[in-house]
């Protein structure tokens, strides 16, 4: 399954499902990464982790290991 | 009767600025490390009967972070008369997500649509009336920074407090979810207050543990509720928590689509984006980061800060206050014990705090600037990779950096780490970083034993960092710290020009809280120590003693000294010095001065170098230095630990850990050093070997497997069918 971690820098993807449980999963959802959301991967931190993504019009930093819990489908930007 | 208005909103929404404006009280605002968890309140300007309650910045009312839990508990249990929900107009979707949750609490709510000046400047328009209609509450346009609309919001909210309007809430969720929620409401309506019914029902639907246990529903009702949830989950093929979150965001998305007209579509480059491109560029980020940190440290710790601190200590306190008072006391023929109490106990104690304040202020000013500009969040972004390797978050960098100036504000800065585990671990390890007050100890031994070698001070920092790393790895494998890794999902707020008012206010706020916290503790313990130092038993009676050798403190030192013998410094003088170091680490130097019979010594204790060189070997000096760098910090820092841990048990555990760690390290260094120097194998060498084995085991053992999260999720999946 493709995850947010696999999306290249500058790529855009739509969220399909969130894995994991508890606080981590809820936190990711609370920050706006929910099913159907379009996420743009803006850049990666200088040391290679975390990622900076644009979601719902703002910038969010997320670790690659957490991004692995976000299953996505690559696509052209379409609004959910 | 007072009316209470609660201020709630996302971090970085301008909430604190609004709070400052409404109450006129001195408060603090910044992007990072965020506003404190403590509640702040103040009377509404011009309305003494209206209390404005500031709540922590939060993104959601989920039960996972302490800020969220504080906000929830306050809103549910204290029931303020009205809520002002500050919404960042430039970031509507994520902000309104919280709004939909706040509205469910059944408290009259008014939305302050903030940063409207920025929205208008960008050319976007927000249909305020339609937004108000869709949300089911009043919406007022504001700009906290420019002071627009604030009075209006506050006065309308205050009026809510008087006539408590009934709120009619629009349905946020789809048919089957609303259906299940209605059923849950029905089954708990005799247990909760009417206005809170919907909130409790939604939380029960989410299987919120906090609410479940708070309500204490009978098993039968729980089963009934569980059936409805499971039905819904089956129908929508998702778990309840995701269903609620998704549908809230869908609802918000729908509102935003209807109410906002963007001037331009697509992703556009703002000034902030352009800055960020350079500042967190893969190649440029680290040099920029290092430069910024160097400037901060250089200005606050090395130059300006030290200059002002030295001036305060030596000139203001040393010459004017101390000198002036002592000659005045002399002319008044005041009793020597009183002169001693005032000059050495009180003035000395207060001076130890006040002298440090200018340095603090310079440091805090720098940090407040970085926060207000938005760079602090990038610090965490850049440093995360390094810190999380040993169980800390990128946000721990800030407490550590501040801790190199002083552990007290460093520990206080850890408050902004949301995850409790990361925060506790940061609190436990921050004071390993040598603070400014430990430098005189380093200078003393560098001068007395190591011939003023340049590498002693850098070695102290290296040892501190190593202690943090080793402790991080050890602690994260212990049961108390195991479990799900902390989420590092952090907003990177846009850069903006700092508001000097906010920066100065923040600087002063932090400086003042340092003075209050450290001041009281240092003052009391200084007086106690002065007493122990100045009084002794002579002829079975408590009396003032001429020199320290007969003091109560020396007696205590004698009792404790054997404990330190295996570390190489079993005399009572080092023991006493270690004790006085608990009051303020630089006291170690002064104490040696007093114990060796000097009335006053320079900061690096140059006067006693000869005595130190006689009483210590290179090895025992190094061991003593290590112990004092790593063991329990000063009382002020312990007070800060107590405040941040919110628990006596954790505070005790933290201080015990530090001291045991310091003891083990010093023991190993001294014993192995002795062995290497050709001394025989003693029982204590054996203990040192055991300590080394234990340390290595704790460093390299496999972390405890923790399946709590996985089990929980499995249970959720099972309920699907």
């Amino acid at each position: 399954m493709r995850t947010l971690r696999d999306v290249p820098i500058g790529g855009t993807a739509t969220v399909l499902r969130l894995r994991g449980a508890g606080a981590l999963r809820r936190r990711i959802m609370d920050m706006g990464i929910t099913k159907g959301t379009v996420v743009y991967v803006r850049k990666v931190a200088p040391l290679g982790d975390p990622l900076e993504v644009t979601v719902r019009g703002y910038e969010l930093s997320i670790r690659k290991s957490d991004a692995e819990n976000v299953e996505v489908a690559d696509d052209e930007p379409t609004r959910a | 009767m007072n009316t209470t208005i609660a201020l709630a909103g996302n971090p970085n929404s301008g909430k604190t600025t609004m709070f400052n404006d409404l109450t006129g009280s001195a408060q603090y605002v910044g992007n990072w490390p965020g506003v404190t968890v403590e509640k702040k309140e103040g009377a509404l300007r011009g309305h003494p009967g209206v209390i404005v309650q500031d709540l922590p910045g939060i993104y959601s009312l989920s039960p996972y972070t302490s800020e969220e839990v504080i906000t929830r508990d306050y809103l549910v249990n204290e029931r303020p008369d009205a809520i002002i929900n500050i919404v960042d107009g430039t970031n509507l979707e994520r902000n309104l997500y919280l709004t939909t949750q706040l509205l469910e609490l059944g408290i009259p709510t008014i939305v302050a649509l903030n940063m409207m000046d920025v929205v208008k400047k960008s050319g976007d328009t927000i249909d305020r009336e339609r937004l108000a209609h869709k949300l089911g509450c009043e919406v007022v346009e504001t700009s906290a920074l420019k002071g627009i609309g604030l009075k209006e919001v506050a006065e309308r909210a205050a009026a809510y407090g008087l006539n408590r309007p009934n709120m009619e809430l629009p349905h946020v969720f789809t048919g089957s979810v609303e259906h299940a929620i209605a059923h849950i409401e029905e089954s708990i309506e005799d247990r909760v207050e009417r206005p809170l019914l919907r909130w409790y029902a939604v939380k029960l639907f989410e299987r919120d543990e906090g609410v479940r246990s708070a309500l204490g529903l009978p098993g039968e009702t729980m089963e009934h509720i569980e059936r409805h949830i499971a039905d819904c989950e089956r129908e929508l093929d998702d778990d309840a928590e995701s269903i609620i979150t998704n549908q809230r965001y869908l609802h918000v998305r729908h509102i935003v689509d209807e109410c906002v007209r963007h001037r331009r579509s697509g992703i556009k480059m703002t000034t902030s984006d352009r800055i960020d491109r350079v500042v967190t560029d893969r190649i440029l980020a680290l040099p920029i980061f290092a430069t910024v940190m160097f400037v901060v440290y250089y200005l606050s710790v090395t130059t300006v800060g030290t200059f002002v601190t030295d001036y305060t200590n030596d000139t203001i306190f040393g010459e004017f206050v101390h000198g002036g008072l002592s000659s005045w006391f002399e002319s008044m023929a005041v009793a020597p014990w009183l002169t001693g109490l005032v000059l050495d106990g009180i003035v000395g104690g207060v001076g130890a705090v006040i002298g440090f304040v200018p340095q603090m202020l310079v440091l805090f000013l720098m940090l407040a600037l970085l926060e207000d500009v938005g760079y602090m969040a990038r610090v965490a972004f850049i440093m995360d990779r390094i810190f999380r390797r040993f169980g800390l978050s990128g946000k721990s960098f800030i407490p550590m950096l501040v801790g190199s100036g002083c552990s007290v504000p460093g520990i206080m800065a850890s408050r902004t780490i949301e995850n409790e585990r990361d925060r506790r671990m940061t609190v436990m390890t921050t004071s390993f970083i040598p603070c400014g007050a430990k430098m005189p100890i380093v200078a003393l031994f560098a001068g007395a034993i190591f011939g003023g070698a340049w590498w002693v001070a850098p070695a102290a920092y290296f040892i501190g960092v190593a202690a943090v790393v080793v402790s991080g790895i050890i602690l994260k494998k212990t049961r108390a710290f195991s479990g799900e890794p902390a989420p590092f999902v952090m907003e990177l707020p846009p850069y903006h020009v700092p508001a000097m008012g906010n920066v100065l206010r923040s600087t002063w706020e932090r400086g003042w809280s340092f003075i209050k916290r450290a001041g009281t503790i240092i003052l009391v313990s200084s007086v106690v120590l002065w007493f122990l130092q100045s009084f002794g038993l002579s002829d079975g009676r408590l009396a003032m003693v001429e020199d320290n050798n007969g003091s109560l403190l020396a007696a205590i030192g004698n009792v404790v000294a054997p404990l330190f013998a295996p570390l190489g410094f079993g005399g009572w003088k080092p023991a006493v010095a270690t004790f006085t170091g608990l009051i303020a680490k630089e006291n170690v130097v002064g104490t040696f001065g007093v114990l060796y019979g000097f009335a006053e010594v320079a900061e690096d204790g140059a006067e006693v170098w000869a005595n130190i060189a006689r009483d210590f070997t290179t090895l025992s000096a190094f061991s003593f230095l290590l112990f004092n760098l790593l063991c329990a910090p000063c009382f002020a820092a312990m007070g800060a630990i107590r405040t941040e841990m919110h628990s006596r048990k954790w505070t005790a555990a933290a201080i015990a850990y530090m001291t045991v760690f310091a003891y083990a390290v010093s023991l190993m260094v001294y014993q192995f050093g002795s062995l290497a120097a050709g001394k025989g194998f003693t029982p204590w060498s054996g203990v040192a070997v055991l300590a080394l084995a234990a340390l290595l085991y704790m460093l390299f053992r496999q972390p405890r497997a923790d399946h709590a999260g996985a089990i929980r999720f499995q249970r959720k999946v099972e309920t699907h069918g």
Side-chain angles (χ1 to χ4, degrees):
Chain A
M1 197 65 215
R2 212 168 155 73
T3 69
L4 186 57
R5 187 187 181 137
D6 309 319
V7 180
I9 308 299
T12 304
T14 303
V15 178
L16 293 179
R17 203 175 77 89
L18 293 175
R19 294 181 204 147
L24 183 97
R25 183 162 181 268
R26 175 61 184 261
R27 177 84 174 163
I28 292 174
M29 292 195 292
D30 279 341
M31 296 307 280
I33 300 182
T34 58
K35 200 194 278 186
T37 316
V38 176
V39 181
Y40 166 68
V41 179
R42 184 180 277 267
K43 67 161 74 118
V44 62
L47 299 176
D49 200 19
L51 299 169
E52 179 177 338
V53 302
T54 306
V55 57
R56 299 188 187 272
Y58 79 99
E59 306 304 317
L60 188 70
S61 128
I62 181 170
R63 280 182 187 155
K64 282 182 172 171
S65 58
D66 296 339
E68 257 175 8
N69 289 320
V70 182
E71 292 180 4
V72 296
D74 280 331
D75 65 0
E76 289 307 301
T78 45
R79 282 296 186 179
Chain B
M1 251 242 352
N2 277 343
T3 302
T4 306
I5 304 172
L7 282 188
N10 279 189
N12 309 305
S13 60
K15 196 166 59 65
T16 310
T17 313
M18 180 175 289
F19 178 69
N20 289 337
D21 196 278
L22 293 180
T23 60
S25 73
Q27 289 291 329
Y28 148 75
V29 70
N31 292 340
W32 175 264
V35 199
T36 63
V37 181
E38 279 156 2
K39 292 195 285 183
K40 294 176 190 163
E41 56 178 47
L44 181 61
R45 263 203 276 201
H47 299 261
V50 179
I51 304 295
V52 182
Q53 175 74 61
D54 193 24
L55 295 173
I58 47 166
Y59 296 106
S60 167
L61 290 179
S62 81
Y64 297 116
T65 73
S66 48
E67 285 84 357
E68 288 168 350
V69 174
I70 285 169
T71 307
R72 271 164 66 133
D73 288 352
Y74 174 78
L75 293 174
V76 170
N77 301 325
E78 310 286 322
R79 304 294 294 166
D81 299 290
I83 298 174
I84 297 178
N85 173 211
I86 297 100
V87 165
D88 177 357
T90 65
N91 194 347
L92 267 186
E93 268 184 70
R94 203 199 58 224
N95 277 260
L96 289 180
Y97 173 74
L98 176 66
T99 307
T100 62
Q101 300 183 55
L102 291 172
L103 287 169
E104 280 165 5
L105 288 156
I107 299 167
T109 300
I110 184 164
V111 166
L113 196 56
N114 200 26
M115 307 205 190
M116 280 309 290
D117 53 325
V118 183
V119 174
K120 283 178 181 151
K121 214 171 145 195
S122 76
D124 295 350
T125 54
I126 301 175
D127 186 337
R128 186 185 60 83
E129 277 174 40
R130 184 175 278 187
L131 183 61
H133 174 71
K134 288 276 169 194
L135 289 173
C137 72
E138 267 194 279
V139 176
V140 178
E141 293 185 6
T142 62
S143 165
L145 218 54
K146 307 224 153 122
I148 300 164
L150 304 183
K151 212 172 146 69
E152 190 187 348
V153 169
E155 278 170 2
R156 285 205 206 177
Y160 278 175
L162 298 176
N163 52 34
R164 297 197 142 259
N166 273 324
M167 316 265 300
E168 195 56 49
L169 288 182
H171 283 183
V172 171
F173 308 110
T174 55
S176 52
V177 181
E178 289 288 351
H179 177 80
I181 290 171
H183 271 286
I184 298 173
E185 282 182 355
E186 211 174 288
S187 58
I188 59 167
E189 67 188 348
D190 53 336
R191 288 178 170 265
V192 300
E193 289 171 64
R194 181 108 206 108
L196 275 169
L197 197 54
R198 183 169 172 91
W199 189 79
Y200 272 116
V202 173
K203 287 290 154 194
L204 283 174
F205 185 87
E206 284 180 319
R207 295 201 184 86
D208 185 302
E209 291 297 337
V211 162
R212 277 181 167 194
S213 55
L215 283 181
L217 295 172
E220 197 186 325
T221 317
M222 284 304 293
E223 274 168 35
H224 173 74
I225 290 173
E226 189 55 43
R227 260 201 310 279
H228 282 291
I229 302 173
D231 281 348
C232 243
E233 287 180 323
R234 233 187 333 267
E235 188 190 322
L236 297 170
D237 187 30
D238 213 342
D239 67 285
E241 206 172 18
S242 306
I243 291 172
I244 294 290
T245 317
N246 282 344
Q247 295 200 357
R248 266 194 219 286
Y249 263 118
L250 285 174
H251 175 72
V252 167
R253 175 82 233 166
H254 173 73
I255 294 178
V256 171
D257 278 343
E258 279 205 14
C259 302
V260 182
R261 290 281 161 274
H262 287 289
R263 196 178 59 159
R264 277 176 295 181
S265 57
I267 297 161
K268 57 189 180 220
M269 275 295 256
T270 62
T271 315
S272 174
D273 293 338
R274 281 192 209 101
I275 296 171
D276 197 57
R277 233 180 159 182
V278 177
V279 167
T280 57
D281 177 86
R282 279 207 83 156
I283 294 152
L284 291 176
L286 290 175
I288 292 175
F289 175 76
T291 310
V292 170
M293 291 303 136
F294 176 76
V295 168
V296 166
Y297 200 82
Y298 187 73
L299 285 183
S300 58
V301 179
T302 319
T303 54
V304 181
T306 309
F307 175 74
V308 186
T309 295
D310 286 350
Y311 182 81
T312 320
N313 274 337
D314 302 342
T315 312
I316 300 183
F317 274 92
E319 289 174 25
F320 298 151
V321 182
H322 197 278
L325 275 176
S326 68
S327 51
W328 186 63
F329 280 169
E330 233 165 81
S331 68
M332 299 278 290
V334 175
W337 69 266
L338 185 60
T339 310
L341 173 65
V342 172
L343 289 183
D344 302 331
I346 298 177
V347 173
V350 173
V353 183
I354 304 293
F356 222 32
V357 166
Q359 192 163 9
M360 296 277 87
L361 290 182
V362 177
L363 186 65
F364 287 156
L365 180 71
M366 301 284 159
L367 296 177
L369 265 175
L370 291 181
E371 281 167 25
D372 212 51
V373 166
Y375 190 67
M376 275 299 190
R378 273 75 188 183
V379 170
F381 180 68
I382 293 170
M383 296 312 288
D384 181 66
R385 174 127 212 199
I386 296 177
F387 276 80
R388 66 133 186 267
R389 272 171 193 267
F390 25 93
L392 300 163
S393 90
K395 300 173 188 185
S396 310
F397 182 79
I398 297 152
M400 302 278 165
L401 180 74
V402 178
S404 67
C406 175
S407 301
V408 175
I411 291 163
M412 280 155 58
S414 68
R415 189 178 302 178
T416 54
I417 300 169
E418 302 109 345
N419 182 273
E420 193 158 50
R421 206 166 35 143
D422 290 5
R423 188 168 56 231
R424 283 187 174 142
M425 189 122 51
T426 307
V427 168
M428 276 175 117
T429 51
T430 294
S431 64
F432 282 146
I433 301 289
C435 66
K438 285 174 183 168
M439 283 298 113
I441 313 180
V442 175
L444 171 70
F445 284 91
I449 304 285
F450 301 101
W454 64 271
W455 51 265
V456 181
Y461 284 104
F462 178 78
I463 288 161
V465 171
V468 171
V469 171
V470 168
S471 298
I473 295 172
I474 289 177
L475 288 173
K476 83 171 178 188
K477 290 178 183 173
T478 60
R479 193 183 320 180
F481 285 102
S482 67
E484 248 183 292
F488 181 73
V489 189
M490 180 188 70
E491 180 187 3
L492 295 168
Y495 295 89
H496 58 77
V497 180
M500 276 325 282
N502 286 341
V503 169
L504 291 176
R505 187 160 12 202
S506 150
T507 304
W508 173 244
E509 274 277 305
R510 289 177 176 189
W512 181 234
S513 80
F514 168 76
I515 296 170
K516 273 190 298 192
R517 190 163 297 159
T520 45
I521 295 170
I522 291 194
L523 184 60
V524 170
S525 30
S526 300
V527 171
V528 169
L529 186 86
W530 169 83
F531 172 78
L532 290 175
Q533 231 172 0
S534 318
F535 282 80
L537 291 171
S538 66
D539 303 331
R541 244 186 303 163
L542 200 62
M544 231 175 144
V545 288
E546 278 298 309
D547 82 60
N548 278 287
N549 294 301
S551 69
L552 290 174
L553 196 63
I556 297 174
N558 265 319
V559 173
V560 181
L563 272 180
F564 295 118
L567 311 189
F569 48 98
W572 66 274
K573 285 189 177 99
V576 169
T578 302
F579 268 114
T580 59
L582 295 179
I583 287 177
K585 289 289 169 180
E586 73 268 25
N587 281 2
V588 170
V589 178
T591 304
F592 274 124
V594 172
L595 297 179
Y596 285 122
F598 294 90
E600 202 142 327
V601 291
E603 193 177 280
D604 60 359
E607 292 85 347
V608 297
W609 285 3
N611 304 68
I612 295 273
R614 202 180 54 231
D615 282 4
F616 284 89
T617 64
T618 308
L619 193 56
S620 68
F622 188 55
S623 165
F624 178 82
L625 185 59
L626 273 180
F627 187 77
N628 273 278
L629 288 179
L630 300 177
C631 76
C634 64
F635 286 130
M638 290 190 215
I641 292 175
R642 171 74 183 84
T643 320
E644 296 312 317
M645 287 293 194
H646 298 287
S647 139
R648 266 174 222 279
K649 207 182 81 191
W650 273 98
T651 309
I655 292 165
Y657 172 76
M658 286 180 237
T659 309
V660 169
F661 183 79
Y663 194 90
V665 169
S666 293
L667 179 76
M668 287 186 279
V669 164
Y670 184 72
Q671 294 298 335
F672 294 142
S674 298
L675 282 179
K679 293 189 186 147
F681 194 91
T682 65
W684 280 107
S685 321
V687 176
V689 171
L690 288 179
L692 181 66
L695 186 73
L696 290 177
Y697 167 72
M698 288 194 286
L699 260 178
F700 295 110
R701 70 174 164 155
Q702 286 299 310
R704 295 173 58 88
D706 187 286
H707 297 297
I711 290 163
R712 198 179 147 168
F713 187 55
Q714 268 174 4
R715 199 171 61 219
K716 274 188 179 168
V717 174
E718 276 160 19
T719 59
H720 278 238

